[in-house]
PDB file of all heavy atoms in Angstrom:
ATOM      1  N   HIS A 209      29.959   0.067  39.002  1.00  0.00           N
ATOM      2  CA  HIS A 209      29.043  -1.032  39.267  1.00  0.00           C
ATOM      3  C   HIS A 209      28.398  -0.929  40.635  1.00  0.00           C
ATOM      4  O   HIS A 209      27.194  -1.121  40.799  1.00  0.00           O
ATOM      5  CB  HIS A 209      29.770  -2.378  39.117  1.00  0.00           C
ATOM      6  CG  HIS A 209      30.320  -2.619  37.765  1.00  0.00           C
ATOM      7  ND1 HIS A 209      29.621  -2.315  36.625  1.00  0.00           N
ATOM      8  CD2 HIS A 209      31.496  -3.173  37.366  1.00  0.00           C
ATOM      9  CE1 HIS A 209      30.350  -2.655  35.572  1.00  0.00           C
ATOM     10  NE2 HIS A 209      31.497  -3.175  35.995  1.00  0.00           N
ATOM     11  N   CYS A 240      25.943  -4.361  35.266  1.00  0.00           N
ATOM     12  CA  CYS A 240      27.247  -4.770  35.795  1.00  0.00           C
ATOM     13  C   CYS A 240      27.859  -5.917  34.983  1.00  0.00           C
ATOM     14  O   CYS A 240      29.046  -5.920  34.679  1.00  0.00           O
ATOM     15  CB  CYS A 240      27.108  -5.223  37.235  1.00  0.00           C
ATOM     16  SG  CYS A 240      26.632  -3.926  38.398  1.00  0.00           S
ATOM     17  N   LEU A 241      27.028  -6.893  34.622  1.00  0.00           N
ATOM     18  CA  LEU A 241      27.519  -8.091  33.945  1.00  0.00           C
ATOM     19  C   LEU A 241      27.808  -7.884  32.467  1.00  0.00           C
ATOM     20  O   LEU A 241      28.462  -8.723  31.845  1.00  0.00           O
ATOM     21  CB  LEU A 241      26.500  -9.228  34.119  1.00  0.00           C
ATOM     22  CG  LEU A 241      26.365  -9.775  35.532  1.00  0.00           C
ATOM     23  CD1 LEU A 241      25.129 -10.647  35.665  1.00  0.00           C
ATOM     24  CD2 LEU A 241      27.607 -10.548  35.948  1.00  0.00           C
ATOM     25  N   THR A 242      27.299  -6.801  31.910  1.00  0.00           N
ATOM     26  CA  THR A 242      27.457  -6.591  30.472  1.00  0.00           C
ATOM     27  C   THR A 242      28.311  -5.376  30.120  1.00  0.00           C
ATOM     28  O   THR A 242      28.562  -5.140  28.935  1.00  0.00           O
ATOM     29  CB  THR A 242      26.089  -6.427  29.785  1.00  0.00           C
ATOM     30  OG1 THR A 242      25.361  -5.356  30.414  1.00  0.00           O
ATOM     31  CG2 THR A 242      25.287  -7.722  29.880  1.00  0.00           C
ATOM     32  N   THR A 243      28.749  -4.639  31.097  1.00  0.00           N
ATOM     33  CA  THR A 243      29.571  -3.448  30.817  1.00  0.00           C
ATOM     34  C   THR A 243      30.977  -3.828  30.445  1.00  0.00           C
ATOM     35  O   THR A 243      31.561  -3.295  29.494  1.00  0.00           O
ATOM     36  CB  THR A 243      29.592  -2.496  32.032  1.00  0.00           C
ATOM     37  OG1 THR A 243      28.272  -2.048  32.310  1.00  0.00           O
ATOM     38  CG2 THR A 243      30.487  -1.295  31.761  1.00  0.00           C
ATOM     39  N   ASP A 244      31.562  -4.792  31.161  1.00  0.00           N
ATOM     40  CA  ASP A 244      32.935  -5.195  30.902  1.00  0.00           C
ATOM     41  C   ASP A 244      32.994  -6.236  29.814  1.00  0.00           C
ATOM     42  O   ASP A 244      32.157  -7.145  29.766  1.00  0.00           O
ATOM     43  CB  ASP A 244      33.566  -5.769  32.185  1.00  0.00           C
ATOM     44  CG  ASP A 244      33.680  -4.709  33.277  1.00  0.00           C
ATOM     45  OD1 ASP A 244      33.799  -3.525  32.929  1.00  0.00           O
ATOM     46  OD2 ASP A 244      33.631  -5.088  34.459  1.00  0.00           O
ATOM     47  N   ASP A 245      34.016  -6.150  28.976  1.00  0.00           N
ATOM     48  CA  ASP A 245      34.154  -7.087  27.875  1.00  0.00           C
ATOM     49  C   ASP A 245      34.345  -8.519  28.345  1.00  0.00           C
ATOM     50  O   ASP A 245      33.976  -9.470  27.667  1.00  0.00           O
ATOM     51  CB  ASP A 245      35.350  -6.696  26.978  1.00  0.00           C
ATOM     52  CG  ASP A 245      35.059  -5.416  26.200  1.00  0.00           C
ATOM     53  OD1 ASP A 245      33.882  -5.092  26.019  1.00  0.00           O
ATOM     54  OD2 ASP A 245      36.053  -4.776  25.774  1.00  0.00           O
ATOM     55  N   ASP A 246      34.962  -8.695  29.538  1.00  0.00           N
ATOM     56  CA  ASP A 246      35.206 -10.052  29.996  1.00  0.00           C
ATOM     57  C   ASP A 246      34.009 -10.632  30.734  1.00  0.00           C
ATOM     58  O   ASP A 246      34.026 -11.772  31.208  1.00  0.00           O
ATOM     59  CB  ASP A 246      36.440 -10.122  30.899  1.00  0.00           C
ATOM     60  CG  ASP A 246      36.265  -9.343  32.197  1.00  0.00           C
ATOM     61  OD1 ASP A 246      35.195  -8.741  32.397  1.00  0.00           O
ATOM     62  OD2 ASP A 246      37.197  -9.357  33.012  1.00  0.00           O
ATOM     63  N   GLY A 247      32.909  -9.840  30.837  1.00  0.00           N
ATOM     64  CA  GLY A 247      31.688 -10.362  31.426  1.00  0.00           C
ATOM     65  C   GLY A 247      31.743 -10.480  32.936  1.00  0.00           C
ATOM     66  O   GLY A 247      30.886 -11.105  33.550  1.00  0.00           O
ATOM     67  N   ASP A 248      32.745  -9.879  33.567  1.00  0.00           N
ATOM     68  CA  ASP A 248      32.877  -9.993  35.007  1.00  0.00           C
ATOM     69  C   ASP A 248      32.505  -8.673  35.663  1.00  0.00           C
ATOM     70  O   ASP A 248      33.009  -7.616  35.262  1.00  0.00           O
ATOM     71  CB  ASP A 248      34.324 -10.360  35.349  1.00  0.00           C
ATOM     72  CG  ASP A 248      34.475 -10.784  36.805  1.00  0.00           C
ATOM     73  OD1 ASP A 248      33.461 -11.069  37.441  1.00  0.00           O
ATOM     74  OD2 ASP A 248      35.632 -10.820  37.284  1.00  0.00           O
ATOM     75  N   ALA A 249      31.627  -8.704  36.633  1.00  0.00           N
ATOM     76  CA  ALA A 249      31.179  -7.494  37.319  1.00  0.00           C
ATOM     77  C   ALA A 249      32.240  -7.091  38.346  1.00  0.00           C
ATOM     78  O   ALA A 249      32.116  -7.352  39.547  1.00  0.00           O
ATOM     79  CB  ALA A 249      29.826  -7.697  37.975  1.00  0.00           C
ATOM     80  N   ALA A 250      33.297  -6.470  37.874  1.00  0.00           N
ATOM     81  CA  ALA A 250      34.435  -6.128  38.714  1.00  0.00           C
ATOM     82  C   ALA A 250      34.015  -5.243  39.870  1.00  0.00           C
ATOM     83  O   ALA A 250      33.280  -4.268  39.693  1.00  0.00           O
ATOM     84  CB  ALA A 250      35.510  -5.444  37.875  1.00  0.00           C
ATOM     85  N   GLY A 251      34.491  -5.587  41.065  1.00  0.00           N
ATOM     86  CA  GLY A 251      34.239  -4.762  42.233  1.00  0.00           C
ATOM     87  C   GLY A 251      32.906  -5.009  42.901  1.00  0.00           C
ATOM     88  O   GLY A 251      32.585  -4.359  43.894  1.00  0.00           O
ATOM     89  N   ARG A 291      23.846 -15.784  33.120  1.00  0.00           N
ATOM     90  CA  ARG A 291      25.174 -15.221  33.327  1.00  0.00           C
ATOM     91  C   ARG A 291      25.754 -15.642  34.680  1.00  0.00           C
ATOM     92  O   ARG A 291      26.957 -15.772  34.843  1.00  0.00           O
ATOM     93  CB  ARG A 291      25.140 -13.705  33.209  1.00  0.00           C
ATOM     94  CG  ARG A 291      24.809 -13.167  31.842  1.00  0.00           C
ATOM     95  CD  ARG A 291      25.905 -13.435  30.838  1.00  0.00           C
ATOM     96  NE  ARG A 291      27.064 -12.579  31.000  1.00  0.00           N
ATOM     97  CZ  ARG A 291      27.292 -11.490  30.267  1.00  0.00           C
ATOM     98  NH1 ARG A 291      26.443 -11.140  29.326  1.00  0.00           N
ATOM     99  NH2 ARG A 291      28.374 -10.772  30.475  1.00  0.00           N
ATOM    100  N   ARG A 316      20.935  -7.308  22.829  1.00  0.00           N
ATOM    101  CA  ARG A 316      22.254  -6.779  23.155  1.00  0.00           C
ATOM    102  C   ARG A 316      23.358  -7.589  22.485  1.00  0.00           C
ATOM    103  O   ARG A 316      24.398  -7.057  22.105  1.00  0.00           O
ATOM    104  CB  ARG A 316      22.484  -6.793  24.672  1.00  0.00           C
ATOM    105  CG  ARG A 316      23.844  -6.254  25.040  1.00  0.00           C
ATOM    106  CD  ARG A 316      24.241  -6.535  26.469  1.00  0.00           C
ATOM    107  NE  ARG A 316      25.589  -5.992  26.725  1.00  0.00           N
ATOM    108  CZ  ARG A 316      26.717  -6.616  26.442  1.00  0.00           C
ATOM    109  NH1 ARG A 316      26.684  -7.820  25.897  1.00  0.00           N
ATOM    110  NH2 ARG A 316      27.895  -6.059  26.704  1.00  0.00           N
ATOM    111  N   HIS A 352      32.635 -18.334  40.567  1.00  0.00           N
ATOM    112  CA  HIS A 352      33.098 -17.460  39.507  1.00  0.00           C
ATOM    113  C   HIS A 352      31.970 -17.114  38.549  1.00  0.00           C
ATOM    114  O   HIS A 352      32.086 -17.202  37.349  1.00  0.00           O
ATOM    115  CB  HIS A 352      34.259 -18.110  38.753  1.00  0.00           C
ATOM    116  CG  HIS A 352      35.386 -18.483  39.655  1.00  0.00           C
ATOM    117  ND1 HIS A 352      36.176 -17.544  40.253  1.00  0.00           N
ATOM    118  CD2 HIS A 352      35.839 -19.697  40.093  1.00  0.00           C
ATOM    119  CE1 HIS A 352      37.102 -18.150  41.008  1.00  0.00           C
ATOM    120  NE2 HIS A 352      36.911 -19.432  40.930  1.00  0.00           N
ATOM    121  N   GLY A 353      30.792 -16.762  39.094  1.00  0.00           N
ATOM    122  CA  GLY A 353      29.677 -16.421  38.227  1.00  0.00           C
ATOM    123  C   GLY A 353      29.936 -15.120  37.501  1.00  0.00           C
ATOM    124  O   GLY A 353      30.784 -14.318  37.860  1.00  0.00           O
ATOM    125  N   GLY A 354      29.160 -14.914  36.430  1.00  0.00           N
ATOM    126  CA  GLY A 354      29.236 -13.659  35.710  1.00  0.00           C
ATOM    127  C   GLY A 354      30.020 -13.745  34.435  1.00  0.00           C
ATOM    128  O   GLY A 354      30.036 -12.832  33.635  1.00  0.00           O
ATOM    129  N   ARG A 355      30.686 -14.899  34.169  1.00  0.00           N
ATOM    130  CA  ARG A 355      31.467 -15.002  32.967  1.00  0.00           C
ATOM    131  C   ARG A 355      30.748 -15.781  31.873  1.00  0.00           C
ATOM    132  O   ARG A 355      31.230 -15.863  30.748  1.00  0.00           O
ATOM    133  CB  ARG A 355      32.800 -15.686  33.251  1.00  0.00           C
ATOM    134  CG  ARG A 355      33.709 -14.864  34.144  1.00  0.00           C
ATOM    135  CD  ARG A 355      35.073 -15.485  34.282  1.00  0.00           C
ATOM    136  NE  ARG A 355      35.931 -14.643  35.136  1.00  0.00           N
ATOM    137  CZ  ARG A 355      36.654 -13.623  34.669  1.00  0.00           C
ATOM    138  NH1 ARG A 355      36.609 -13.303  33.410  1.00  0.00           N
ATOM    139  NH2 ARG A 355      37.398 -12.913  35.481  1.00  0.00           N
ATOM    140  N   VAL A 356      29.618 -16.366  32.190  1.00  0.00           N
ATOM    141  CA  VAL A 356      28.886 -17.141  31.175  1.00  0.00           C
ATOM    142  C   VAL A 356      27.987 -16.188  30.381  1.00  0.00           C
ATOM    143  O   VAL A 356      27.194 -15.457  30.947  1.00  0.00           O
ATOM    144  CB  VAL A 356      28.037 -18.236  31.840  1.00  0.00           C
ATOM    145  CG1 VAL A 356      27.218 -18.966  30.795  1.00  0.00           C
ATOM    146  CG2 VAL A 356      28.947 -19.222  32.575  1.00  0.00           C
ATOM    147  N   ARG A 357      28.102 -16.199  29.082  1.00  0.00           N
ATOM    148  CA  ARG A 357      27.293 -15.351  28.226  1.00  0.00           C
ATOM    149  C   ARG A 357      26.151 -16.176  27.645  1.00  0.00           C
ATOM    150  O   ARG A 357      26.358 -17.330  27.287  1.00  0.00           O
ATOM    151  CB  ARG A 357      28.144 -14.779  27.087  1.00  0.00           C
ATOM    152  CG  ARG A 357      29.163 -13.751  27.540  1.00  0.00           C
ATOM    153  CD  ARG A 357      30.051 -13.340  26.386  1.00  0.00           C
ATOM    154  NE  ARG A 357      30.921 -12.238  26.763  1.00  0.00           N
ATOM    155  CZ  ARG A 357      32.048 -12.387  27.427  1.00  0.00           C
ATOM    156  NH1 ARG A 357      32.439 -13.589  27.772  1.00  0.00           N
ATOM    157  NH2 ARG A 357      32.795 -11.332  27.733  1.00  0.00           N
ATOM    158  N   ASP A 360      26.580 -19.121  25.045  1.00  0.00           N
ATOM    159  CA  ASP A 360      27.848 -19.823  25.152  1.00  0.00           C
ATOM    160  C   ASP A 360      27.596 -21.263  25.504  1.00  0.00           C
ATOM    161  O   ASP A 360      26.680 -21.585  26.249  1.00  0.00           O
ATOM    162  CB  ASP A 360      28.730 -19.200  26.227  1.00  0.00           C
ATOM    163  CG  ASP A 360      29.341 -17.871  25.800  1.00  0.00           C
ATOM    164  OD1 ASP A 360      29.153 -17.516  24.621  1.00  0.00           O
ATOM    165  OD2 ASP A 360      29.990 -17.205  26.618  1.00  0.00           O
TER     166      ASP A 360
END
Side-chain angles (χ1 to χ4, degrees):
H209 299 319
C240 294
L241 291 167
T242 56
T243 298
D244 296 331
D245 290 338
D246 65 359
D248 192 16
R291 294 292 286 260
R316 181 193 179 276
H352 304 290
R355 294 186 179 273
V356 176
R357 291 174 173 82
D360 286 353

